[in-house]
Amino acid sequence: MTPRGFPAFPPGRARRPRTWWGTAWNRAWEAEALDVRPLRAGRRLAVGGHVGAITVSPGRIAAAVHDGDTEQAYATRVRVAPLGGGDWDRLAGEVAARAGHQAALLAGQLPRDLADVAGVPLLPGLGEVAPECDCPQWEHPCRHAAALCHQVSWLLDADPALLLLIRGRDARTLVPDGVAVPGDGAPAAAAIGRAEGTGTAAAEAYARVVPPLPPAPQPVPDGPTLPLLPPGADVDVDALRAAVAVAAGRAAALLHGGRTDATK
């Protein structure tokens, strides 16, 4: 499975995750922290642009993080326990049963109800996040690992399906065989149509013979008396009277318990 790389975030203002997935990711890894002080320091490093390019591979996130001196950057990694094969099979079954989930994954989204479906938690639990850093600090996590995790929440804001790769696989493993994913040369709309088992090729649809239209409805005998309709610009009074007669006659017949041509 090919790792994915992301360029370093530039320095900016204080920033917090904007989406449910980004916020949930922060709650998950912060639950492992023994002290809130490195979390706050890590947030400052993240906002200050002290985290280098991020590499995400199955079960592993890595970047070089520094305290202000780029020549003294630390190799920082966060390992996340991958899901087991049975978990992925259950997730794939849920996605295969819902075309809407397939469409979301094809668009790079991650439906919120997949956070914990079929007993499979996508977000890591206690003991499933292991920060590593070659800095001399002893905190768990250190501020460098915290900075990296903070920026991962920003990545999840833009690409929540990245969480699948963090947990061991990518979106391809959850999309049924034969359904294209973006970048494979087939548009997502066509892929969704195949996933649902519906749709007709355009050439076949245009080659079909169009059946004749049904006969126009006729007024019901003994219908109600219609009001006089004054002529007006761009109004075909005779056609309008005929349409009103049909509708009024059917309504009168239904009110009297009868059946009209439209109800047969």
Side-chain angles (χ1 to χ4, degrees), residues 84-94 169:
D87 292 333
W88 287 109
D89 289 342
R90 288 194 291 275
L91 276 175
E94 290 291 330
R169 299 188 185 181

Side-chain angles (χ1 to χ4, degrees), residues 20 94 106 162-163 218 257 260 262:
W20 185 89
E94 290 291 330
L106 290 170
L162 185 64
L163 181 61
Q218 299 298 318
T260 68

Side-chain angles (χ1 to χ4, degrees), residues 25-114:
W25 162 259
N26 274 356
R27 284 200 302 264
W29 70 266
E30 287 178 349
E32 302 270 353
L34 301 177
D35 189 350
V36 297
R37 286 175 293 182
L39 304 187
R40 295 169 182 166
R43 186 179 297 113
R44 289 193 294 269
L45 291 178
V47 173
H50 291 195
V51 180
I54 299 175
T55 300
V56 179
S57 52
R60 182 178 180 272
I61 309 162
V65 187
H66 62 87
D67 293 312
D69 182 0
T70 57
E71 298 296 326
Q72 185 59 54
Y74 299 101
T76 306
R77 297 165 298 277
V78 176
R79 299 188 184 277
V80 182
L83 297 176
D87 292 333
W88 287 109
D89 289 342
R90 288 194 291 275
L91 276 175
E94 290 291 330
V95 172
R98 304 185 187 184
H101 284 0
Q102 297 169 34
L105 289 175
L106 290 170
Q109 298 300 312
L110 189 63
R112 180 173 167 178
D113 61 355
L114 287 181

